[in-house]
Amino acid sequence: MNQWEIDGKTRLYGLLGNPVSHSLSPFIHNEGFRRLSLNARYLAFSVIEEDLESTLFALRKMGVGGLNLTMPLKEAVLPLCDSLSKEARLSSSINTLVFSENGKMTGCSTDGIGFFRALEAENGSVKDKKLCLMGLGGAGKAILSRAVYTELSEIRLLQRASSIEKNRCFIERVKEETGKKILLGSYEENLAEFLEQSDILVNASNVGMREEASLIPEVKLLHKGLFVADCIYHPFETKLLSQAREAGLRYMNGLPMLFYQAVEAFRLWTGKSFPEEEVFVALQDKLKFL
């Protein structure tokens, strides 16, 4: 029998969200299963929020091995979980569901873990480094909820002045629960100061996704030695990253974050080490033809 043939023992994993047709997760996970000779498959399912509870009930009854969640389900699934990881609880966002043998469902957030795995792979240890985070949407909250458990010496948050009050309760809760010092500022008043005092700049906003736009008005604000990361991976080089290149700085886009959050989910589900190097090369080759 072909080792990669589906049979009565094949374990199902998947992604729930809407839309999901563009997702790279099926390729990443199925490459991992194939290269480790695991009898498992990963599929993407288009699911709207109103159908989430009934879908999860059915999939749990069918013995699904594990699930990822994307928009608009990352927050909607919170009350359906039996327990939450510390990152998921802090960020109030879930992208990975882990099922125990007794049927209990744990909600996890591997986005922040994936980001810091990617960052350390590209730029070394974050110990004693100062990080400046722009944007506090879903990606930003996930990154912050992991950042407070790292050895960063300082975390600075930049938001538009109009958004600061909206997120103040979340930020105060994170500070209270972790004891981590977080400095909060606005683009309008603190941009130059925050950048000058940071070692790592992270764009977790969607600015740059569809237009030739950047939250950094002038390249000269990107000082020598600053590492620049953008959570966006389409386009592969946003305006911010082109500015970093122009300034002669090292940088990364969002693809490594996407990859390493999948690696962490795979580990949670299977307990096995993911074949990282081979699958990442295969992923890059695939993207050349998209």
Side-chain angles (χ1 to χ4, degrees), residues 61-78:
K61 286 289 186 181
M62 290 162 48
V64 68
L67 293 168
N68 285 136
L69 297 165
T70 187
M71 299 303 293
L73 307 178
K74 288 186 172 186
E75 295 182 4
V77 74
L78 284 163

Side-chain angles (χ1 to χ4, degrees), residues 71-144:
M71 299 303 293
L73 307 178
K74 288 186 172 186
E75 295 182 4
V77 74
L78 284 163
L80 304 178
C81 293
D82 299 300
S83 61
L84 301 175
S85 71
K86 60 185 181 182
E87 292 88 358
R89 182 173 50 79
L90 267 185
S91 64
S92 296
S93 178
I94 292 168
N95 79 320
T96 300
L97 294 175
V98 179
F99 301 99
S100 65
E101 291 184 1
N102 61 3
K104 297 294 184 180
M105 184 168 72
T106 300
C108 304
S109 174
T110 68
D111 285 330
I113 295 171
F115 173 79
F116 281 98
R117 279 288 316 275
L119 181 61
E120 294 193 347
E122 295 287 335
N123 194 48
S125 172
V126 300
K127 184 176 182 180
D128 299 327
K129 299 286 181 64
K130 298 177 181 179
L131 180 142
C132 180
L133 177 64
M134 301 192 299
L136 206 56
K141 286 180 178 178
I143 290 171
L144 178 62

Side-chain angles (χ1 to χ4, degrees), residues 156-193:
R156 294 171 178 264
L157 296 180
L158 273 173
Q159 300 179 82
R160 299 192 187 281
S162 58
S163 299
I164 288 179
E165 285 306 315
K166 181 179 71 173
N167 291 312
R168 192 176 293 279
C169 288
F170 166 73
I171 296 166
E172 291 302 319
R173 178 168 61 84
V174 172
K175 289 166 64 175
E176 182 179 343
E177 291 193 24
T178 65
K180 198 79 170 184
K181 184 179 181 180
I182 301 171
L183 302 176
L184 183 61
S186 70
Y187 298 114
E188 293 86 347
E189 295 184 9
N190 308 105
L191 178 62
E193 170 199 352

Side-chain angles (χ1 to χ4, degrees), residues 115-268:
F115 173 79
F116 281 98
R117 279 288 316 275
L119 181 61
E120 294 193 347
E122 295 287 335
N123 194 48
S125 172
V126 300
K127 184 176 182 180
D128 299 327
K129 299 286 181 64
K130 298 177 181 179
L131 180 142
C132 180
L133 177 64
M134 301 192 299
L136 206 56
K141 286 180 178 178
I143 290 171
L144 178 62
S145 296
R146 182 61 181 177
V148 292
Y149 295 112
T150 69
E151 294 184 288
L152 286 165
S153 64
E154 193 172 277
I155 301 170
R156 294 171 178 264
L157 296 180
L158 273 173
Q159 300 179 82
R160 299 192 187 281
S162 58
S163 299
I164 288 179
E165 285 306 315
K166 181 179 71 173
N167 291 312
R168 192 176 293 279
C169 288
F170 166 73
I171 296 166
E172 291 302 319
R173 178 168 61 84
V174 172
K175 289 166 64 175
E176 182 179 343
E177 291 193 24
T178 65
K180 198 79 170 184
K181 184 179 181 180
I182 301 171
L183 302 176
L184 183 61
S186 70
Y187 298 114
E188 293 86 347
E189 295 184 9
N190 308 105
L191 178 62
E193 170 199 352
F194 275 28
L195 290 181
E196 184 181 2
Q197 298 178 17
S198 298
D199 303 300
I200 303 163
L201 172 65
V202 183
N203 176 40
S205 77
N206 61 5
V207 174
M209 186 176 288
R210 292 189 177 89
E211 68 254 25
E212 187 70 7
S214 170
L215 291 168
I216 307 301
E218 299 177 281
V219 173
K220 67 181 182 181
L221 291 173
L222 303 177
H223 64 79
K224 184 178 179 181
L226 182 69
F227 184 85
V228 180
D230 201 322
C231 294
I232 296 169
Y233 65 88
H234 184 72
F236 288 149
E237 184 174 287
T238 60
K239 178 64 180 294
L240 173 62
L241 296 187
S242 70
Q243 289 175 310
R245 178 167 51 78
E246 182 181 341
L249 304 181
R250 298 178 63 244
Y251 59 89
M252 74 173 187
N253 66 17
L255 187 64
M257 175 183 174
L258 171 73
F259 178 76
Y260 282 111
Q261 65 80 23
V263 168
E264 176 63 12
F266 191 97
R267 184 192 66 80
L268 290 172

